[in-house]
Structure formats: C-alpha cells, structure tokens
Amino acid sequence: MRKVLESTKIASSALQSIESFYNTTVSEVEAAIAANAYVVVGMRQNPVVRSALKELNEKNITYKYFEYGSYFSKWKQRLSLKLWSGWPTFPMVFVDGKLIGGRAELKKHLANQ
C-alpha cells in the first residue's frame, strides 16, 4: 500500500491548503469517471498520451478526455490529479470507475478484451 502522511501529522492550516488545492479539477475528473466507462487524463505535446488515445480510437472505444495544459502550463492542475490518484505520470486511464494506470496498462487491458 502507498504511504500517505496521516492527516493527524499535518497542521490544520496546511491540511486546508491540501484539501483545496485545485479540488475543482479533481471533482471534474471524478464526475467524468462516474459517468463514463473510459476516462483519459493527459496533456498536450505528450506522445504517450497521443498513443493511448490512438489505441482507443482504433478500437472504436468511446472515452472522455481531459487535457490539462502542456509541459509549460497547467502543471498545478496536473499535480493535483497526481496527488489525488497517486499515479505519477500521464496519461491516467480510468476504466469502469477504476484507475488502471497509464498507456502500458491500457494496452494490456485492450489486449485482454
């Protein structure tokens, strides 16, 4: 199990900052995960993200895609999603409400269908 600092070991002012850090971004993705079988979170200029989307398109799979900036923008939104999910890279791929991982995990998932 992934280690996460216990909330009892975080000052209340810091905990408030953590809880509110781009929570609208996290809420947006959470809502999409609840409403869509496939959700991909990515960023511009990332060839791994493009490859994952290409694989879904080739299989004619409908998905919801969120693109949060490029290497030079919206990094705080992407960071909020990394902190929330624990997944360190993009894309983040969710299938049937669960984070399955990134492009490599998506490829395995699609091969098993």
Side-chain angles (χ1 to χ4, degrees), residues 27 33 84 90:
S27 295
I33 292 167
W84 166 71
F90 292 98

Side-chain angles (χ1 to χ4, degrees), residues 21 41 54 58 82 101-102:
F21 185 74
V41 179
K54 181 181 176 187
E58 287 173 351
K82 289 178 179 185

Side-chain angles (χ1 to χ4, degrees), residues 30-48:
E30 281 182 314
I33 292 167
N36 297 275
Y38 285 80
V39 175
V40 179
V41 179
M43 57 188 281
R44 280 189 307 280
Q45 300 171 322
N46 185 316
V48 182

Side-chain angles (χ1 to χ4, degrees), residues 67-113:
E67 184 172 272
Y68 292 106
S70 66
Y71 290 101
F72 305 107
S73 66
K74 297 190 180 182
W75 65 270
K76 287 183 179 181
Q77 288 177 291
R78 292 192 308 276
L79 178 59
S80 72
L81 294 166
K82 289 178 179 185
L83 293 170
W84 166 71
S85 71
W87 190 253
T89 60
F90 292 98
M92 291 179 183
V93 181
F94 298 85
V95 178
D96 295 327
K98 291 185 179 182
L99 172 67
I100 65 165
R103 184 200 163 269
E105 293 76 18
L106 174 63
K107 190 170 186 162
K108 290 176 191 173
H109 170 80
L110 294 175
N112 292 327
Q113 285 192 321

